[in-house]
Each structure stands twice: as structure tokens, then as C-alpha cells.
Amino acid sequence: MTTPLSSPPLRSDPHDTKAPGGEEQAQHSAELAALHRAADAGEAAAAWVRELAGRQSKEDHARALERVADAVVRVSGREIVPGSDGLLTEELRYTLAADAVLGASHTTGTLPELHDGERMPLAAVCAIAAALPSCVLGDLAAELTALTGDLATATEAGRTATAAGTARACPARRPRTLGADHADPLDRLAYRRVFDRAAEAFEIALHYQGDDGELARAQALHNALAAAGLGIAAAALLRVADDPALGLDPDQWEHLHRIAAELNVRVVEDLGGANGDGTTAPTRPRPA
């Protein structure tokens, strides 16, 4: 059994008069870096497990998941002791094997309340975390780095499932179109910009058509719609990206915002507040 330590021991003692060679020092540095990455990944995984604990309606399940979170932190940190036997205590093995997915089922007769898709990442987090201390029996730096990456991936999968489950629980909202919320000054600012651009395009087209016939009005309307379309599409993409019911991850959210900015960066800036608070109308350029 390993003995809990406040921090992983170093292979070289600063008080040792015998300095390690270059190769040994490089290995020590690689192991130390791997140990730090493992601890960080364990903290991130434990934070997610604590989110699951905080969502439980039964206190017994919440406490069981809190124990799982504490165990993940412990096995990804102070239980990884170079030179040890790499084994876990019976308590840690049981916590990471049973409490994770069963919670306090033996006393409540129920399973922990988890969203669809959360149970598998939770089991993976616990299995990977439990394997981390055994890396001391092989190539510590390489094996620990590989498992740490897997732990981070399992945690991210769990967070994605959590976000999706939370999104599914959101009440349906009526879609908002640009200009529909006149109480929002940023919405009014963006709407005025799109309207002014459309009106300008309409007037210019009428001016150059040379008459007030049906064809001239149709061409002017076509130009107005073309001028307004990109801004309206950009605003719609922002509304979609910001809808919590979709449960978008940060990369997906950023992708939609990037497309919106490519369509009409000024409208994106207006809705984000970059062009002021919406209390002053933008200056409308006049046709030459």
C-alpha cells in the first residue's frame, strides 16, 4: 500500500551533494512535469464530479459522489509516488469502483441522478484515475502522460453530456428576430444599422433607375434586401449560438460567432456592445 504524502517526492534532494547527470536530470524533469499534469487533470475531473454531487436530491448520493471527487484528487496527486508499489488502498479502490456509478444505492435503493451520457464518462474518469498510481512501475513520464490525456478526454466528454442534459431541461423560448426586442438598446442599435443600410441601398437604386416604374421599385427592393440580408443572418446566428437549449460547447459557440462576424462584423459588434450602449444612433452615410 502506498503511504499518502503531501506531495510527490523528488528523485534528487536539494541537500544532496551528489548532483544528478544530464540524462537523469532530464528524466526527473519529465516525470515532475507529468506529475503536475496528472494533478491538474485530476482536479478538473474532480470539479466535474462535484457538479454531479451538487445536483443530487438525495444527500447520500451527494456524499458518495463527493467521496469520489476527493478520491480522484488523491489518486492523481499524492498517491503517485515514484519508487512505491503503485497499489491503492482498499478504501480508494472501492470508492472509485462502486461509489462512482452506484452512489449510495445500498441505502437509498436508487442510483445517482445522472443525465443521459454522464454515467460512462464518470466510470471512465474513475477507472483511469485509479490506474494513475501504477505508472510508477513502468515508464512513469510516458505512461502518466498518456493516461492524463485520457482522463482529460473523459472529463470533457462528461462535461459535454452535462451541458447537453442541462440544455434539454431548459424551457422552450420564442425565437427573437432582429428588431423584435425594442426594449434592448443593443438590439435597436443593430436594427438601425441594418435598416439604414437597406434604406440607403433602396434610395441609390431608385436614383439610378431614372423612373418610378414597377421595375425600378423591384430593383430597389432587391438591393435593399441584399443589403440587409447579411446583417439579419449574422444576428440570427448569434441568437442561435447564445440559446442555452442547444448546449453548445465553447468551440461550437465560437464557430457560429466567427461565421456571424464574417457575414456582418458591425452587427456583431453592435449586439455585443462594442459600438456603444445603443443609446445613440449610428451616423447614417448619405449617398454621394
Side-chain angles (χ1 to χ4, degrees), residues 191-214:
Y191 179 76
R192 283 197 302 266
R193 184 180 302 282
V194 171
F195 176 85
D196 286 349
R197 185 170 181 182
E200 178 188 1
F202 186 87
E203 292 173 0
I204 291 175
L206 272 183
H207 174 75
Y208 285 106
Q209 286 298 315
D211 60 54
D212 294 329
E214 183 178 344

Side-chain angles (χ1 to χ4, degrees), residues 99-173:
D99 283 6
V101 294
L102 300 179
S105 58
H106 58 289
T107 59
T108 64
T110 62
L111 293 174
E113 300 164 23
L114 300 175
H115 293 320
D116 290 343
E118 285 182 329
R119 192 175 308 281
M120 186 63 72
L122 177 59
V125 161
C126 294
I128 296 168
L132 294 177
S134 65
C135 292
V136 300
L137 302 177
D139 186 340
L140 175 60
E143 294 178 13
L144 194 56
T145 296
L147 287 182
T148 295
D150 292 338
L151 179 59
T153 300
T155 302
E156 185 59 32
R159 288 197 175 280
T160 299
T162 296
T166 302
R168 286 192 295 270
C170 289
R173 299 191 311 177

